[in-house]
Amino acid sequence: DDETNSAGSTRKYPKLWELAKMEGDSQWIDWLGKHVWTYVGLAAPLLGAPGPLRSVLSGENMGLPFTDEEARILELSFGSTSSVNPIPTKMGFCDDPDDREDSRRAKRNKSKSRKEQNRNLACLDELVSDIEARANETYNPWQDYPALRLLLKDRVDYDSAFPMIRVEREFCDESEKSPCANQTAIDFSAQDVMNGNIFDQFSNIWKEEKDPLGVKLEQLQDSWWKGNVPNMLESTPERPHIKHVVMAYGTDVPTEAGYIYKKIDRKPNRSNNTTSVEGKEAFDGVPEMHKVIWEEKHGRIIEESMPEPSTFTESILFKKKQTRRPFNSGDSSLWLHHSGDGTIPYLSLMWAHTWLLHATRAMRSTNHTMPMLEGERISNPHNALDSIKVSHRPKGGNDWIQGYGADPRVDENYDYSSRSNIGDTGTSHPHGTKYKPKMVRFQSEGKSRSTGMEYTTTVIEAIGVEHKETTRNYDILAAA
C-alpha cells in the first residue's frame, strides 16, 4: 500500500524522499535556486510525438534487421512509450468548454485542474485579446512570433490540418473487390491517446491474440491514472523554476506526423466459420498501416502510401517504391511554418515558445499575495510579446541580426547575400559538428515575485538540423 511504499522509499533514498515531499513548494524552489543553474532541453518532445504510438499500434523496426511486427513485440513491453504520448495543445489553456471533465480528471488522478494549476500564472488564452488589440493595417504584433500566433491565436493542435491517426474500414461482400462500396473512417486525436480510447478502439477493430493493445491500455491506467504521482500526460509542461532555461531544437527536416490504418472486413459465406480447424478463434493479426502523413520543409504536408512487401528483405529495407503526394484533406492554411526535426513534430517542439511568456503571465496574475518587486514589470503589461527579444543568424554567419528575418517559405527571400559571410565552418554538411546552420533565437527575462531571483528563457530554432545532431552541434549551444 501507499504507506508501505513511502516507508520503503524513505529508508532507501532518504535525501530523494525529502526532495520529493517538498517538490513544488517554496523549499523546493529554494533548493533549485541553490543547486541548479541552467536547464537545457535539446529537441525536447514537450507535447510528445506520434512516432512511439506507431511503434505500439503496428511496430517500427527503426532500420534494424527485423520486421515491424517483430519489433512491435519488443516495443509493447516498454512501459516508457506512454511517457511520450501526444498531448493536445488544448490542455494548456483554461477555456476548455468541458471544465467539469477537467475537474473529474483531476480528482481521479489526485492532481490539480488546469485552473488550479494556473492560480499563480495568467492563462495563455487571457493574453490574446491585448495582443490583438494592437493590430492595425500597418502593424502585425505577431510578425516575429509565428509559433506563438499559431498556438495562442489559431490554437493549432495535432488534428488541425490532418488526422493524427485514422482508421479506414471497408465492409465487403465475399466476392467484392477493394475499394468496396461500404466504407467508414474513424479519426483519433491526441485526446484519444491521452484517455486511452485509441487502444480500446484498435483492440475492438483488430482482434489480436492475447489482446496486446488491451494490455497496453491497462498498463497506461496502472502507470499514470492509478499511480501516486500526478498524471503528467494530461497537462502541458510549464517552465521549470530554474534560473536559466534554454530550449534548442532543429526544424525543417521531414517528420512523421500522422498515420492512416486500413482494415478490410469481408462477410463470410455460410461454409466459412470464424473459428479455425482446432476450434480456436480466428485473429486478424497486427493492424496494417496504409499511409504515413509527413510534415516537410516549411510545413508542407505529404502523404505516403506504404507498399505491401512481398519478401522479408523488402519488409525491412522498403525496396519497393513508395507513392508520395500532397495531402489535401483539411485546412492546410492552419498548419505550421516549419516541420519537425525528423523525429519530433514541430508542434511538440514549438510549445517551448509558451515558456517565453512565463514572466508576463506571472505579473498579470491577480491571485497572489506577494507584492511585485521593483523592476519586475519589464515590459508593457498589455502586450505579452514585447518582453521577447528576437534575433537571427544567417547560415554560416557569425553575427546576430535583430528580428525574425524574412519568411523562409517565400523562395525570393532566401538569404543568398549571407553566403558572403560564410567563413571556414569545418564542413558544409548538417551532420558536421562545426556546421553553422541558420538560427532564430527568442529570449525573455523576468524576476520572481516571491524570491527576487532573476531568470531567463531562451528558445533556439536551428534550421535544417536533425534530431540527434542537436546534441552534437556545439554552435547551437553557443548561441544561448
Side-chain angles (χ1 to χ4, degrees):
D1 58 5
D2 292 349
E3 293 183 0
T4 302
N5 292 334
S6 298
S9 299
T10 304
R11 289 192 298 268
K12 289 182 179 179
Y13 312 103
K15 293 293 184 182
L16 291 178
W17 177 247
E18 289 302 316
L19 287 175
K21 285 196 298 182
M22 70 181 190
E23 182 175 357
D25 64 17
S26 58
Q27 287 182 288
W28 170 253
I29 295 173
D30 183 58
W31 186 91
L32 289 176
K34 290 180 179 178
H35 299 283
V36 182
W37 180 258
T38 303
Y39 172 92
V40 180
L42 296 177
L46 296 182
L47 299 183
L53 183 61
R54 167 190 173 177
S55 300
V56 170
L57 295 178
S58 56
E60 165 61 70
N61 64 17
M62 296 175 285
L64 297 175
F66 42 78
T67 66
D68 286 348
E69 186 172 346
E70 291 171 330
R72 181 175 182 249
I73 297 173
L74 179 65
E75 289 153 347
L76 282 168
S77 69
F78 297 155
S80 59
T81 54
S82 296
S83 65
V84 283
N85 279 350
I87 301 173
T89 61
K90 61 174 62 70
M91 303 307 294
F93 297 87
C94 300
D95 57 357
D96 186 346
D98 196 350
D99 288 328
R100 290 174 299 176
E101 174 58 28
D102 183 36
S103 299
R104 285 195 296 268
R105 182 168 51 243
K107 184 177 181 179
R108 181 184 71 219
N109 297 316
K110 303 176 184 178
S111 60
K112 298 175 181 177
S113 67
R114 289 195 294 281
K115 287 187 176 179
E116 290 174 324
Q117 292 169 355
N118 282 295
R119 69 182 186 276
N120 295 321
L121 292 174
C123 294
L124 288 171
D125 31 287
E126 295 175 21
L127 307 178
V128 178
S129 58
D130 285 340
I131 298 172
E132 284 285 283
R134 302 186 64 190
N136 56 48
E137 294 181 358
T138 59
Y139 176 67
N140 176 12
W142 303 100
Q143 181 172 343
D144 286 345
Y145 313 97
L148 287 174
R149 174 184 59 80
L150 288 162
L151 289 170
L152 272 62
K153 180 184 177 182
D154 296 340
R155 301 288 286 272
V156 294
D157 212 332
Y158 274 105
D159 55 355
S160 293
F162 51 85
M164 189 185 75
I165 301 290
R166 170 175 288 176
V167 174
E168 297 177 345
R169 299 190 70 178
E170 295 182 21
F171 300 88
C172 307
D173 293 329
E174 183 187 13
S175 59
E176 190 177 7
K177 293 184 178 180
S178 179
C180 302
N182 187 358
Q183 301 184 26
T184 62
I186 307 172
D187 290 344
F188 298 93
S189 66
Q191 200 147 3
D192 291 305
V193 183
M194 185 180 69
N195 60 27
N197 179 52
I198 190 170
F199 302 116
D200 184 48
Q201 291 294 316
F202 263 68
S203 179
N204 290 329
I205 296 172
W206 277 274
K207 301 297 182 183
E208 295 187 77
E209 189 173 6
K210 298 182 180 180
D211 190 19
L213 293 180
V215 173
K216 194 68 179 178
L217 175 58
E218 293 176 359
Q219 186 183 73
L220 177 69
Q221 294 171 337
D222 292 339
S223 299
W224 299 101
W225 298 359
K226 301 176 183 178
N228 295 323
V229 296
N231 188 349
M232 71 175 188
L233 303 182
E234 293 189 331
S235 61
T236 54
E238 294 286 0
R239 183 194 185 280
H241 293 280
I242 293 174
K243 287 185 178 72
H244 307 292
V245 172
V246 179
M247 305 296 289
Y249 52 84
T251 70
D252 283 342
V253 179
T255 305
E256 294 182 7
Y259 307 100
I260 298 176
Y261 289 82
K262 188 174 183 179
K263 172 78 183 298
I264 298 178
D265 295 284
R266 293 195 176 276
K267 296 179 181 178
N269 59 25
R270 295 179 180 178
S271 61
N272 292 334
N273 296 318
T274 57
T275 57
S276 63
V277 177
E278 293 81 6
K280 297 181 180 179
E281 182 181 358
F283 297 106
D284 296 320
V286 176
E288 177 189 348
M289 189 171 65
H290 182 51
K291 294 178 180 178
V292 177
I293 300 175
W294 294 82
E295 56 180 26
E296 296 200 335
K297 188 176 181 180
H298 308 328
R300 195 164 58 109
I301 306 171
I302 297 294
E303 69 172 35
E304 177 182 50
S305 298
M306 304 303 294
E308 295 184 6
S310 57
T311 66
F312 176 78
T313 302
E314 287 176 350
S315 68
I316 296 176
L317 301 179
F318 287 108
K319 291 295 185 180
K320 285 191 175 183
K321 185 177 180 181
Q322 293 144 330
T323 303
R324 297 166 64 89
R325 64 182 181 85
F327 186 88
N328 296 319
S329 177
D331 186 358
S332 59
S333 65
L334 287 177
W335 203 232
L336 315 177
H337 56 296
H338 285 303
S339 64
D341 63 4
T343 300
I344 311 300
Y346 185 64
L347 181 71
S348 182
L349 296 167
M350 76 174 183
W351 187 258
H353 286 253
T354 64
W355 291 11
L356 294 162
L357 301 170
H358 184 91
T360 303
R361 294 173 66 193
M363 64 186 176
R364 285 173 61 99
S365 175
T366 58
N367 298 320
H368 62 83
T369 57
M370 298 296 294
M372 291 185 183
L373 298 170
E374 184 178 356
E376 182 178 9
R377 194 179 292 277
I378 59 176
S379 67
N380 182 347
H382 300 297
N383 185 1
L385 304 181
D386 280 354
S387 62
I388 304 174
K389 299 176 182 178
V390 185
S391 57
H392 69 280
R393 195 197 70 180
K395 180 180 178 182
N398 295 313
D399 299 327
W400 287 88
I401 303 170
Q402 185 177 355
Y404 183 82
D407 188 340
R409 293 171 295 179
V410 181
D411 291 336
E412 64 187 41
N413 288 334
Y414 183 79
D415 199 359
Y416 291 103
S417 61
S418 68
R419 292 186 175 183
S420 61
N421 194 31
I422 297 178
D424 182 11
T425 63
T427 177
S428 60
H429 196 279
H431 293 301
T433 56
K434 295 184 178 180
Y435 174 69
K436 304 187 74 171
K438 177 180 178 180
M439 290 191 284
V440 183
R441 182 175 61 189
F442 304 83
Q443 298 168 298
S444 69
E445 59 185 27
K447 182 183 289 186
S448 171
R449 178 182 295 112
S450 58
T451 66
M453 180 187 76
E454 296 183 352
Y455 57 89
T456 65
T457 308
T458 302
V459 175
I460 299 169
E461 297 187 339
I463 314 303
V465 176
E466 189 265 342
H467 182 76
K468 295 185 294 294
E469 302 305 324
T470 308
T471 62
R472 297 175 51 185
N473 190 305
Y474 68 80
D475 199 53
I476 295 176
L477 285 181

